Structures are given as C-alpha cells and as structure tokens.
Amino acid sequence: MGSAVFQFSDDQAEAYDRVSDLMRQAGIDLEDGIITPQAGAREDVLAVVGKAGSGKTMLLARLYEAMAEAGVAIVSGDYEGRARKDRRTLAILAPTNKAASVLRMQGVPATTIHRILYTPLYDPEYEKLAEWLAGGAERPVIEGLADVALDRAHAFYQTNKSIPGAMAAAGLRGSDFIIGWKRRDDPLDIGFVDESSMLDDKQFEDLKEIFPTLVLFGDPAQLAPVKQSGTMVFEKLDAPKILTLHRIHRQETDNPILDLAHALSDDDLTFEAFEAMVRDAAARDDRVVMAERMQADLMARSPALVWRNVTRIRLIQAFRAAYGAPEDELLAGEPLICDGIELPMKHRKKRIDLEARGLIKGAQVVYLGAGRKPGFSRLHVLGAEDPQVSAASIVKIELPGEEEPFIPFAARMGATFLHGSAVTIHKAQGSQWDAVQVFAPDIYAASRAGRLEAGIPLWKRLTYVAITRAQSRLFWVTRNRLARPTAPLSVQDLNTPRPDFQLTSGEDNEKDI
C-alpha cells in the first residue's frame, strides 16, 4: 500500500491509526482494502491539528492514497459519477481556491467547499466520455471525436485526475460538455477538510449535513474566523476527538521561516526580540530578508500582508501609482480579490455558474482586460482548475480617508472585486505563495496595542499566520517605502513560471507608501 512506503513519526502513526479506526467504523477497512455499503445514520467528526510543518498535509495525502487503493471513489467537484448503492466516496476540501490548488500540486485531488455544494450538469453525449474516464463505463463512440482524441483524454486522466482537463486534452471546451450547474441535493459520504481553522460555525454545520463522517485538518496557532470569539470549530470537539501532531518535520530540514514561526510559542518573547531573530536569520540565510521597502513586482502576484486596513489601502494606491495605472481603468495584470457576487435571486443560475468557476468571496484574480460586453472583464482565477472566465464585474478601488471607493468601471450587477496587491493577514489564511512580504510596522502596532486573542498576544498570531504563508522566501519589510517595478505589468506569467524576485536598491528606485 502506498501509505506503507512513507515512514510515519509516532504521532503521525497514531493519528493514521485513529483515522483508520474511524473509517473502519464507517465501513471502509484501509488495512484489508474491504469496503461495505454506507450504513446510514451514523455521524462522526475527528480533528487532526498541528502547527506548520507538523505533517498534516502529508498525513492527509497518505490517507487519500489508502482510501483510493481500497476502492473509495473520489468526488472532485468537476464530475460525479452515477450514484450506486455500493459505492463509497471521499471528497477532499479546502476553504479557498488557493488552498485547494496547494493540495492539488501535491497530488491530492482537492476542491473548494463551495464547489462541492454544486454539481455540474453534463451533456448526455459527453457524460458517456466522463463515465469512461472515471472507470465506470466502456469506451464510448462520440460523433466528432476521433480515437486519437479519446486516447489523449485517457492519457491525460491517468496522470491528472481532472475530467475537464481530460476533456480539454480531447479538444473540447467547458461550454461543449457542461450545460449548467445545480445545488447538491443528496448528501455525500466521507469528507477530509484541510485548513479547517478557517471554518466558521455555519460552514461547519453545513458540512455536517453533507458528510456523515468528517476529518478536519487544522492549525490551532492561526487566527480564528471573524466573529468566532477567538475559537476554531475543532476546539469545540470533545478532547478524545482531537489528535495533535507535535513533531515538526519541515523544521528538521533547517527551514529558517519555520524556525521563526515556532519561536513565537515562547511566552516571554517580545516583538523587539523577535525582530532581532529575523535579522539574525537574514544574516545567515537568504530565504529570510530584512527589507527596507516593499517590492511592487512581487505585489502583482503575491499580495503584501498587513494588519491594518488603512495600511492596505495606502499600499494599493502606491502600487497603482508605481505602475502608472490611470484612475479610470485597470491595467492588464492588476491583481484583484473577489468580494462576493451581487446578483438578485432571479439570477441564481448565473450566481451558481460564477461560484462554481471559482469566483467565491476571497478568490484571487488577475485582470486580463475588458470583456466583449460593457462592464464585463476577462479574468484569470488563481488556483482554479479552469481559471479563464469572463464575468460582469464591479471593481472598487478604495481611497485613503474616503468612505466610498472609486469605481473605475462597473456592470449593473455581477462579481464585485477589491484590489489585490495588498490584503489583511486574516484574508491571507489558507493561501501560500513562494515569496511573501510582511509589513512589520503593522505587526509592531499590534504589539503596542496589547490585544489578546484566546489568551495569546494578537501580534504573535498575526506574525505566525503571515510568515507561514511563505513557502520559500520571507521578506520582513521594516519601512513604509515601495521599490518601483522593474518591468511593466504583464499576464505572460500566468502560463509560464515567474522568475525569482530580487530586492532593488537606491533612493531613485523607491516611492513613499
């Protein structure tokens, strides 16, 4: 079995065994590979928690492999085979597109919680192709699709379990085979939920209505959802239902970012002492940088992380000014954040379509240009499996000291967006970027405010969340300065890897925030 190849630590092995026991009680024996039909009314929830680097995601991946080997069908959100009484299913979920894409990059077929609430309706002709790809039907004969196209689709699906991706490999577009979306009517089976520290009580209750068996994976050191009084949903479970991973695996590979994150657990650590640790780490390792200015180049795809809203707005204005963006229009390549969808109930189908395509609140988007119709935008949804979308858009650019945002253009209704070159640390939860810039003066302000959250100084929680968003490189920015961009905004990087960003220097290359 694939999971047996991986050498678990003691706490991972214990968690794996506990989840295996839960699956066995639900009728799925991971050890012997025997599954029985879903029994019905039994409900259970288990939580696996641990700080960054403790191996939660690796454990989730090994459990997914074992479930797949046992014959459990994976519900990915892009296609769901016909229901059968003897079929057992697993859905692997994350709160955001970005968090789901992080899992998919590690070979775990994750989808968003929002996406699992809706199911695509396939054209009956192409549904036969989807059933064949998923292993539930014979090879179909479809008018207009040659054998070589079917072979391409099949080869794609063997390495990337995406039905739409396989359809695209056959030369089909989404509009060819998906004829609409519908709200899920029937409950599912087993649910694994990553980044569950982001769940609020209502989302948790919604998930329990859909999944009789839930396993939550979360980080108790992150920030609790707004209006949750500093608590996370898994903290309300009975103690035996919470499994804690203590060993920090990634820290053993000498990761200075994780070293800094776990240093925050010292009760006596002050902000000044922590910043001295950042400075020492930067002197030893180029994965940590003490920066005197923000990098506009990096903000185009990896938002600057701040605590205060006023800082966020000032940074956005400085970013747009640095790129020479006009007040009355957006430049191709500007980053946006979806702030929700403003559509009346009679347009429910359109709302479902936009949300299913990844335009959910908090989604990170890059503006590609104006659409064919007035008020429409061509957009690239970062982390979405099918990222290109055109949508009626309402873009709001907030201004310092102004209650009402400036709206460069807007449809009468549609998806609403804020600028995405800077975001609050709260909104950054669930996302990761290769390189992250943290605005240290805001963290200092939080330390001076003396606020606590669940008994922990707020500045420590903010810092922990902010620096653990960085996968490879952390920029700790100490001054309210912005380095001018080294090149104009572009959208070419959306199809090719971006080069590493380098710090620029010189007084002639910076701008006040």
Side-chain angles (χ1 to χ4, degrees):
M1 187 163 62
S3 57
V5 176
F6 180 75
Q7 184 64 47
F8 286 130
S9 62
D10 290 344
D11 54 4
Q12 282 181 317
E14 180 182 356
Y16 184 95
D17 290 343
R18 285 286 306 279
V19 176
S20 295
D21 288 342
L22 178 65
M23 295 301 106
R24 189 177 298 109
Q25 294 167 22
I28 300 170
D29 191 323
L30 298 183
E31 184 175 348
D32 296 329
I34 299 173
I35 60 177
T36 57
Q38 193 171 352
R42 192 178 192 283
E43 297 182 2
D44 213 341
V45 180
L46 199 64
V48 179
V49 304
K51 291 185 177 181
S54 61
K56 298 184 299 297
T57 301
M58 186 63 71
L59 179 62
L60 187 158
R62 298 298 177 251
L63 285 163
Y64 148 66
E65 291 173 0
M67 296 279 279
E69 282 192 30
V72 176
I74 309 301
V75 178
S76 66
D78 59 36
Y79 176 73
E80 193 173 332
R82 295 187 181 93
R84 301 195 309 266
K85 287 185 178 180
D86 61 338
R87 190 177 74 148
R88 304 302 304 273
T89 64
L90 166 68
I92 302 168
L93 313 173
T96 66
N97 298 308
K98 197 72 167 63
S101 72
V102 169
L103 286 173
R104 289 197 296 271
M105 289 175 63
Q106 299 183 48
V108 179
T111 189
T112 62
I113 293 171
H114 207 97
R115 180 69 176 267
I116 212 67
L117 294 177
Y118 305 110
T119 55
L121 296 172
Y122 275 58
D123 180 285
E125 187 73 6
Y126 294 113
E127 188 172 15
K128 294 185 293 186
L129 174 56
E131 280 287 325
W132 169 60
L133 291 170
E138 298 294 322
R139 182 183 176 109
V141 175
I142 298 176
E143 184 178 355
L145 278 186
D147 283 343
V148 66
L150 293 179
D151 291 340
R152 283 200 308 269
H154 186 266
F156 181 94
Y157 192 75
Q158 300 315 300
T159 57
N160 187 330
K161 302 296 184 182
S162 167
I163 295 291
M167 297 281 202
L172 298 170
R173 298 170 302 173
S175 57
D176 293 328
F177 55 87
I178 295 179
I179 58 177
W181 302 82
K182 69 172 183 176
R183 175 85 182 197
R184 179 177 299 282
D185 296 323
D186 302 321
L188 287 172
D189 192 353
I190 310 292
F192 289 174
V193 186
D194 198 23
E195 297 287 355
S196 62
S197 56
M198 297 177 64
L199 297 178
D200 60 33
D201 289 335
K202 184 179 185 308
Q203 289 172 316
F204 186 40
E205 292 303 317
D206 288 344
L207 286 171
K208 287 196 291 185
E209 288 182 7
I210 297 173
F211 297 98
T213 304
L214 275 174
V215 183
L216 309 178
F217 296 81
D219 186 340
Q222 291 198 28
L223 293 158
V226 178
K227 300 179 181 178
Q228 286 283 103
S229 300
T231 60
M232 300 169 188
V233 293
F234 50 73
E235 294 174 332
K236 300 175 183 178
L237 300 177
D238 294 336
K241 297 291 184 182
I242 304 175
L243 313 175
T244 303
L245 303 180
H246 297 284
R247 180 177 167 190
I248 307 303
H249 297 263
R250 280 192 285 165
Q251 200 169 10
E252 294 173 355
T253 63
D254 188 30
N255 186 326
I257 300 171
L258 284 174
D259 289 342
L260 291 170
H262 291 281
L264 291 162
S265 60
D266 181 353
D267 292 339
D268 297 327
L269 185 70
T270 64
F271 172 83
E272 291 77 12
F274 177 78
E275 192 161 62
M277 293 177 67
V278 177
R279 186 174 291 105
D280 291 343
R284 297 190 310 269
D285 197 311
D286 64 4
R287 288 173 289 181
V288 178
V289 178
M290 287 290 285
E292 291 191 353
R293 54 188 68 84
M294 283 283 180
Q295 297 300 297
D297 293 313
L298 187 52
M299 289 169 65
R301 296 295 178 268
S302 176
L305 303 187
V306 305
W307 173 46
R308 296 178 292 192
N309 207 42
V310 64
T311 306
R312 179 182 66 86
I313 294 171
R314 286 173 178 166
L315 267 172
I316 289 168
Q317 289 301 311
F319 172 88
R320 300 200 78 234
Y323 277 104
E327 290 186 352
D328 58 348
E329 63 179 288
L330 292 176
L331 299 176
E334 286 199 65
L336 302 173
I337 299 287
C338 183
D339 197 41
I341 297 176
E342 295 183 2
L343 287 172
M345 284 302 296
K346 67 178 181 178
H347 292 286
R348 182 173 177 270
K349 183 179 178 183
K350 175 57 68 176
R351 175 188 293 273
I352 289 174
D353 183 51
L354 291 174
E355 291 174 339
R357 292 290 303 276
L359 285 179
I360 58 178
K361 192 175 179 69
Q364 295 175 325
V365 173
V366 177
Y367 177 75
L368 302 179
R372 289 190 295 253
K373 301 177 183 177
F376 273 66
S377 303
R378 291 182 294 113
L379 307 165
H380 182 102
V381 184
L382 295 174
E385 295 175 78
D386 185 13
Q388 307 293 331
V389 63
S390 178
S393 307
I394 304 166
V395 179
K396 303 174 181 178
I397 305 296
E398 297 152 293
L399 301 173
E402 300 287 339
E403 291 188 10
E404 293 297 322
F406 175 72
I407 300 177
F409 69 89
R412 287 187 296 111
M413 55 188 179
T416 63
F417 297 95
L418 302 175
H419 207 273
S421 56
V423 301
T424 61
I425 295 168
H426 253 108
K427 285 190 179 294
Q429 288 195 140
S431 296
Q432 279 195 311
W433 298 273
D434 184 61
V436 164
Q437 299 181 98
V438 180
F439 190 63
D442 261 17
I443 305 294
Y444 173 73
S447 73
R448 299 293 292 175
R451 287 173 51 182
L452 299 177
E453 185 175 284
I456 299 174
L458 176 62
W459 78 266
K460 289 187 176 182
R461 281 191 178 269
L462 290 167
T463 305
Y464 177 88
V465 171
I467 66 179
T468 55
R469 300 311 92 201
Q471 291 177 305
S472 303
R473 208 166 189 210
L474 169 67
F475 292 79
W476 186 261
V477 182
T478 59
R479 296 178 63 194
N480 59 336
R481 309 284 279 180
L482 178 70
R484 294 186 182 279
T486 59
L489 277 173
S490 171
V491 298
Q492 297 302 314
D493 61 285
L494 299 177
N495 296 315
T496 58
R498 288 178 65 80
D500 289 336
F501 288 92
Q502 301 294 325
L503 275 174
T504 57
S505 61
E507 291 298 319
D508 60 339
N509 197 41
E510 60 182 47
K511 180 179 178 65
D512 285 326
I513 291 173

